[in-house]
Amino acid sequence: MASTETSATEDSPNFFKRTNYDEDYWNNYLAARPDYSPSFYKSIYSYHQSHGGDFSTAHDIATGPGQVAHELSTHFNHVTASDVNTTHLDVAAHRLTPLLSSQKLKCVHSPAEDIASHHPPSSLDIITAAECFPLIDAPKALSAFSTVLKPNGTLAIWFYGRPIFTESEYQAPCQPLLNTILDRSFAPIIKNSGPQAKIGWKRGMDRMASFLDDIDFSPADWKSVERWKWNSEFPMLFSGPASCDFEVQTSSQVREGEKVEEVRDLGFWERKWDLAGVRRFVSVNVPTFDASVTAEGVEELYRELGEKMGGEGAVRKIGWPVVLILASRV
């Protein structure tokens, strides 16, 4: 295995950060996450079109390996992909080389909160922010987004949380074991983090626990806010309160007139995993980024989980709690 640098010892609110390019990691990262379905993207484009949005310029925030930027390039003439982490941008640039060569895509090193320094005011048709908002200073980011979006431009924020064993006969025996594995894997990182990182963890955990309802959309800047939630009876948190040495608190900034829709669909973005798939998810999401590192007692839990899943080679259905927020610029 290639050596992996880690930011676990860095005291920064940006706790999810790779500092080296490891192609195997990113392949596993993409294999361990859900695929955003064509119908999901279609709902975003339909919302955008229904509010009079154009399909010229797009910006993908926290692009990571660039899969959302690639999707946007099939509908928008020009796409910017940004990330606060230079290594993530290197991965996106490598995977999206043809789009860069054609000048349809450009990559920009920038935190979400600073994108107004990279675009003129009222110049973007859509901004997407997938699987990143718990890491972001929401008020500062929304201020920047409202500056660079055109009137009737769209902001689409989405986030998926902890995997769910969806088959009824396996959910009761398997889900608690996965939850404990995640708690034990995250706990030493969260509890031993420095003061700045702890601020980031606290903000992120509170936001996930709130299903992103803590994000406030001022009517002075935003209209037609929609909050779509799939499987919200399940925790959004990747690890639970037991992994923290602070209180996880929920809050809501949902305003009167915002549309809130809750959907129960355990097949939404369904994946099928064996035990190796579960291990892959944990290893790429715990911010040591080192699959060889496991927390105390976790191996025994994995062995028990493998048995409860049906034994060697057994494959189980996996679903997700998901939230999508859509908002149109005034």
Side-chain angles (χ1 to χ4, degrees):
M1 176 180 292
S3 62
T4 305
E5 297 177 42
T6 174
S7 63
T9 58
E10 293 181 11
D11 187 18
S12 166
N14 179 24
F15 53 80
F16 193 87
K17 176 182 179 182
R18 286 195 63 84
T19 55
N20 71 327
Y21 189 135
D22 182 343
E23 188 69 17
D24 287 341
Y25 168 82
W26 289 105
N27 288 334
N28 284 325
Y29 173 80
L30 290 170
R33 64 186 295 155
D35 292 326
Y36 306 143
S37 62
S39 61
F40 178 78
Y41 282 118
K42 183 179 179 181
S43 69
I44 296 172
Y45 300 143
S46 296
Y47 174 94
H48 181 64
Q49 192 168 30
S50 71
H51 289 83
D54 294 327
F55 286 81
S56 179
T57 54
H59 187 125
D60 182 41
I61 299 293
T63 198
Q67 74 274 30
V68 176
H70 180 270
E71 163 63 28
L72 292 172
S73 74
T74 65
H75 286 76
F76 291 81
N77 298 329
H78 302 284
V79 179
T80 300
S82 67
D83 206 293
V84 69
N85 299 319
T86 55
T87 301
H88 299 192
L89 280 179
D90 290 342
V91 175
H94 173 73
R95 291 172 176 267
L96 302 177
T97 298
L99 291 174
L100 286 168
S101 300
S102 69
Q103 298 187 337
K104 187 163 190 175
L105 171 77
K106 68 175 180 179
C107 291
V108 172
H109 179 220
S110 175
E113 299 88 343
D114 291 345
I115 71 163
S117 63
H118 299 281
H119 298 286
S122 303
S123 61
L124 293 177
D125 294 307
I126 192 170
I127 295 172
T128 55
E131 204 63 12
C132 62
F133 241 75
L135 300 170
I136 289 173
D137 184 322
K140 288 183 179 179
L142 291 182
S143 176
F145 298 167
S146 67
T147 297
V148 296
L149 276 173
K150 299 175 183 176
N152 302 316
T154 296
L155 172 60
I157 300 167
W158 67 93
F159 196 85
Y160 64 85
R162 187 186 313 177
I164 308 162
F165 285 92
T166 60
E167 297 160 289
S168 57
E169 65 268 40
Y170 293 100
Q171 189 175 104
C174 294
Q175 194 68 47
L177 288 168
L178 174 57
N179 294 349
T180 303
I181 288 169
L182 288 166
D183 283 352
R184 290 191 184 181
S185 298
F186 275 87
I189 300 169
I190 296 174
K191 293 179 180 179
N192 294 320
S193 60
Q196 291 303 310
K198 195 68 65 74
I199 291 172
W201 280 111
K202 168 67 172 167
R203 177 180 63 198
M205 297 294 276
D206 287 352
R207 182 157 296 153
M208 286 185 280
S210 302
F211 255 75
L212 277 59
D213 280 348
D214 67 307
I215 302 172
D216 184 25
F217 291 88
S218 168
D221 296 320
W222 305 99
K223 62 183 179 181
S224 304
V225 177
E226 298 185 4
R227 299 177 188 259
W228 291 82
K229 302 174 185 179
W230 289 263
N231 306 318
S232 61
E233 70 268 32
F234 295 94
M236 180 70 75
L237 291 164
F238 276 29
S239 65
S243 65
C244 305
D245 55 358
F246 50 78
E247 183 182 1
V248 177
Q249 298 171 301
T250 61
S251 62
S252 176
Q253 296 293 335
V254 178
R255 293 174 178 266
E256 185 177 355
E258 293 183 1
K259 180 178 180 179
V260 178
E261 293 285 344
E262 300 205 12
V263 180
R264 193 177 196 274
D265 181 3
L266 294 180
F268 191 68
W269 293 351
E270 181 180 276
R271 300 299 296 262
K272 295 180 179 179
W273 287 351
D274 58 9
L275 183 62
V278 176
R279 283 182 175 272
R280 182 186 299 117
F281 175 85
V282 176
S283 69
V284 300
N285 283 287
V286 175
T288 58
F289 304 117
D290 189 344
S292 68
V293 176
T294 55
E296 184 177 355
V298 165
E299 280 304 320
E300 180 58 37
L301 290 169
Y302 274 127
R303 284 192 287 271
E304 185 177 355
L305 178 59
E307 294 173 1
K308 298 296 186 183
M309 289 175 66
E312 185 175 355
V315 174
R316 303 273 63 91
K317 294 179 180 179
I318 300 294
W320 314 86
V322 178
V323 60
L324 167 67
I325 304 176
L326 298 168
S328 184
R329 181 70 172 95
V330 170

